[in-house]
Amino acid sequence: MTPETRSRTALLGRLRTLAVLEVLNIALIGWAVFMALGAPFSTPNTVGFALVAVLLLTGAAYWALKLRQLRTTARRPPLIGLFRALRPLCATALTAGLVAIAAAAPGRPAPEWAAGLVLYGLAVAEYVNYFHLQLMHDTRADWRRLLRTRRLRGSHLAEDLRIHRTT
């Protein structure tokens, strides 16, 4: 195996892992919030969880399609136009979700809205991480680049959307 094929194999494995982990994170977060912590299924908590789940599914879909692009050596990720449409839809969902959480929280005890607010923050972070700036730095290469440049880079999906504007 040459260094190039080893590197390609590692990249394909990483993309597959990212796609699977995003889906698994939905179940893990749901279990942690509603089962382990015992947060009630109130409107704020459910809305916050739903927003995180949608954004994690969006991320999983992107990584799966990016994996397909690399496997087939396609010029662009399949269905990239779908993500162009999802970006404003996700932003609108986040805005509506915040309104729903804010409207349902007043006068309720903290357990009925606190987890939802934290989940909402996580959903916003996922939105930024996928559609704007890479917030997740989980490899040595990511950390080296961040320490060298001292700034966040554009996300992979944002870069694909920029490059493939007309598709």
Side-chain angles (χ1 to χ4, degrees), residues 55-92:
L55 282 148
L56 288 171
L57 280 175
T58 300
Y62 171 70
W63 292 125
L65 292 170
K66 191 69 177 171
L67 175 63
R68 184 172 175 196
Q69 175 196 7
L70 295 177
R71 279 187 176 152
T72 63
T73 63
R75 192 175 72 75
R76 63 180 173 259
L79 303 173
I80 191 67
L82 172 66
F83 295 97
R84 186 167 290 103
L86 281 174
R87 182 172 43 194
L89 285 174
C90 287
T92 301

Side-chain angles (χ1 to χ4, degrees), residues 14-162:
R14 175 152 172 73
L15 292 176
R16 185 175 32 259
T17 298
L18 287 170
V20 169
L21 286 178
E22 294 297 52
V23 174
L24 290 176
N25 279 334
I26 296 168
L28 179 62
I29 290 168
W31 176 85
V33 170
F34 297 111
M35 304 304 279
L37 295 176
F41 285 95
S42 62
T43 298
N45 292 343
T46 304
V47 167
F49 176 72
L51 290 169
V52 169
V54 164
L55 282 148
L56 288 171
L57 280 175
T58 300
Y62 171 70
W63 292 125
L65 292 170
K66 191 69 177 171
L67 175 63
R68 184 172 175 196
Q69 175 196 7
L70 295 177
R71 279 187 176 152
T72 63
T73 63
R75 192 175 72 75
R76 63 180 173 259
L79 303 173
I80 191 67
L82 172 66
F83 295 97
R84 186 167 290 103
L86 281 174
R87 182 172 43 194
L89 285 174
C90 287
T92 301
L94 286 168
T95 302
L98 183 58
V99 169
I101 291 169
R108 289 185 163 193
E112 291 191 23
W113 56 264
L117 196 56
V118 170
L119 290 168
Y120 177 82
L122 180 57
V124 169
E126 288 293 343
Y127 174 79
V128 171
N129 186 55
Y130 279 112
F131 289 107
H132 299 284
L133 296 171
Q134 180 183 335
L135 300 179
M136 182 67 173
H137 291 76
D138 61 341
T139 67
R140 279 186 276 177
D142 285 341
W143 280 105
R144 278 194 304 267
R145 187 204 42 74
L146 181 63
L147 293 172
R148 185 181 70 250
T149 64
R150 298 181 198 264
R151 64 186 182 102
L152 297 173
R153 63 166 279 176
S155 70
H156 294 282
L157 175 54
E159 185 68 12
D160 274 338
L161 290 172
R162 187 187 64 74

Side-chain angles (χ1 to χ4, degrees), residues 1-9:
M1 198 180 258
T2 68
E4 185 176 310
T5 57
R6 195 170 27 249
S7 176
R8 179 174 169 74
T9 301

